[in-house]
Amino acid sequence: MNDAEFDRFARRYRDLHKANIAITGEEPEYFADYKMRDFRAHLERAGLPADGTYLDFGCGTGASIAPFLRHLPGARLTCADVSTASLDEARARHGDVVRYELIDDGDGGPPSCHDGAFANCVFHHIAPAAHAAALSSLRRRLKPGGLLMVYEHNPLNPLTVRAVRTCPLDENAILIRAGRWRAMLAAHDFTAIRIDFRVFFPAALKRLRPLEDRLRWLPLGAQYCVTARSP
């Protein structure tokens, strides 16, 4: 992931994303809300504060800001990204309701200052050789026992693979299998590692969505969610 790659897409990001997911029958906001509902539920399960301090790692143009504030209205959010243009776009759309931070060295920001962090479809844009450094940065930013939630595209889902291959935003993406996260997180001393497969039904089958919580074990969801606790 680099600043130039996403600087050129910042103003068109939502439109490109919307066109790419048209087959689902949903707007981009549906998927952003889905993730933040999961984040809130995982925080509750972990006993972490609804009014805590949280980090959006690789925030892009701020798609998670509105749903985050809707589901966690008392919390404070820092939105961090490597793309200056994306951060500018996020601020233009959402104002200063959150804090913005440019990631310029992979390890910026004060240590142990966040109750939790999430990275929504970010790591497939980071070169595999740099995953360890990114996880080290996230671990450094989390308080002991802090929650990390990572959402990623599922390379076992053929429709997801097709969408990634045809999306300009993902031209350099390298999808990551869910199972790889256990080893990566364990190597950084994260605990309570959990993998849930998510996003099974398009809008045409929305009546079946109440079943999705029962399908978290099935590795065919369009995306998956990994959660873990910092040491």
Side-chain angles (χ1 to χ4, degrees), residues 99-181:
R99 179 176 176 270
Y100 301 96
E101 179 183 299
L102 180 65
I103 302 172
D104 58 3
D105 60 5
D107 200 33
S112 303
C113 59
H114 294 97
D115 296 294
F118 54 90
N120 291 337
C121 296
V122 172
F123 272 79
H124 63 269
H125 293 295
I126 300 174
H131 285 172
L135 277 176
S136 292
S137 177
L138 280 165
R139 174 183 161 174
R140 177 180 176 274
R141 301 288 295 275
L142 289 168
K143 296 176 182 178
L147 178 78
L148 173 63
M149 183 184 84
V150 175
Y151 248 91
E152 277 296 329
H153 297 314
N154 183 9
L156 299 182
N157 182 297
L159 292 179
T160 294
V161 172
R162 180 183 179 277
V164 170
R165 287 177 177 171
T166 58
C167 183
L169 301 169
D170 291 324
E171 60 185 4
N172 296 314
I174 300 175
L175 298 186
I176 308 162
R177 289 203 175 204
R180 184 169 173 240
W181 279 99

Side-chain angles (χ1 to χ4, degrees), residues 16 50 119 121 139 147 151 160-161 171 185 195 198-200 202 211 217 226-227:
L16 291 169
C121 296
R139 174 183 161 174
L147 178 78
Y151 248 91
T160 294
V161 172
E171 60 185 4
L185 289 165
I195 298 173
R198 308 295 281 141
V199 192
F200 287 88
L211 300 174
W217 60 272
V226 182
T227 54

Side-chain angles (χ1 to χ4, degrees), residues 4-229:
E5 181 178 356
F6 283 92
D7 279 352
R8 61 193 176 102
F9 291 128
R11 292 193 176 183
R12 299 184 295 138
Y13 184 92
R14 186 189 180 280
D15 291 339
L16 291 169
H17 186 203
K18 179 179 178 178
N20 188 244
I21 63 172
I23 191 173
T24 70
E26 294 288 358
E27 297 288 318
E29 289 75 16
Y30 168 78
F31 297 98
D33 188 77
Y34 196 113
K35 294 173 175 64
M36 290 299 94
R37 280 189 283 117
D38 270 1
F39 189 61
R40 180 190 63 187
H42 285 298
L43 291 177
E44 291 173 352
R45 187 178 295 112
L48 291 169
D51 60 351
T53 301
Y54 297 101
L55 173 68
D56 182 353
F57 181 81
C59 67
T61 57
S64 296
I65 293 174
F68 176 92
L69 295 176
R70 183 163 56 249
H71 292 295
L72 292 162
R76 290 156 290 170
L77 181 64
T78 295
C79 290
D81 204 275
V82 297
S83 167
T84 302
S86 295
L87 291 173
D88 289 344
E89 187 72 12
R91 183 179 281 105
R93 292 182 180 186
H94 302 283
D96 291 320
V97 294
V98 301
R99 179 176 176 270
Y100 301 96
E101 179 183 299
L102 180 65
I103 302 172
D104 58 3
D105 60 5
D107 200 33
S112 303
C113 59
H114 294 97
D115 296 294
F118 54 90
N120 291 337
C121 296
V122 172
F123 272 79
H124 63 269
H125 293 295
I126 300 174
H131 285 172
L135 277 176
S136 292
S137 177
L138 280 165
R139 174 183 161 174
R140 177 180 176 274
R141 301 288 295 275
L142 289 168
K143 296 176 182 178
L147 178 78
L148 173 63
M149 183 184 84
V150 175
Y151 248 91
E152 277 296 329
H153 297 314
N154 183 9
L156 299 182
N157 182 297
L159 292 179
T160 294
V161 172
R162 180 183 179 277
V164 170
R165 287 177 177 171
T166 58
C167 183
L169 301 169
D170 291 324
E171 60 185 4
N172 296 314
I174 300 175
L175 298 186
I176 308 162
R177 289 203 175 204
R180 184 169 173 240
W181 279 99
R182 289 194 185 276
M184 289 198 297
L185 289 165
H188 286 79
D189 299 321
F190 281 88
T191 61
I193 301 166
R194 168 176 172 160
I195 298 173
D196 295 297
F197 293 92
R198 308 295 281 141
V199 192
F200 287 88
F201 301 112
L205 298 174
K206 65 172 58 179
R207 286 183 295 179
L208 298 177
R209 285 176 177 168
L211 300 174
E212 292 201 348
D213 278 345
R214 301 181 184 180
L215 297 174
R216 291 172 180 262
W217 60 272
L218 184 63
L220 295 178
Q223 297 182 336
Y224 62 84
C225 173
V226 182
T227 54
R229 303 292 293 274

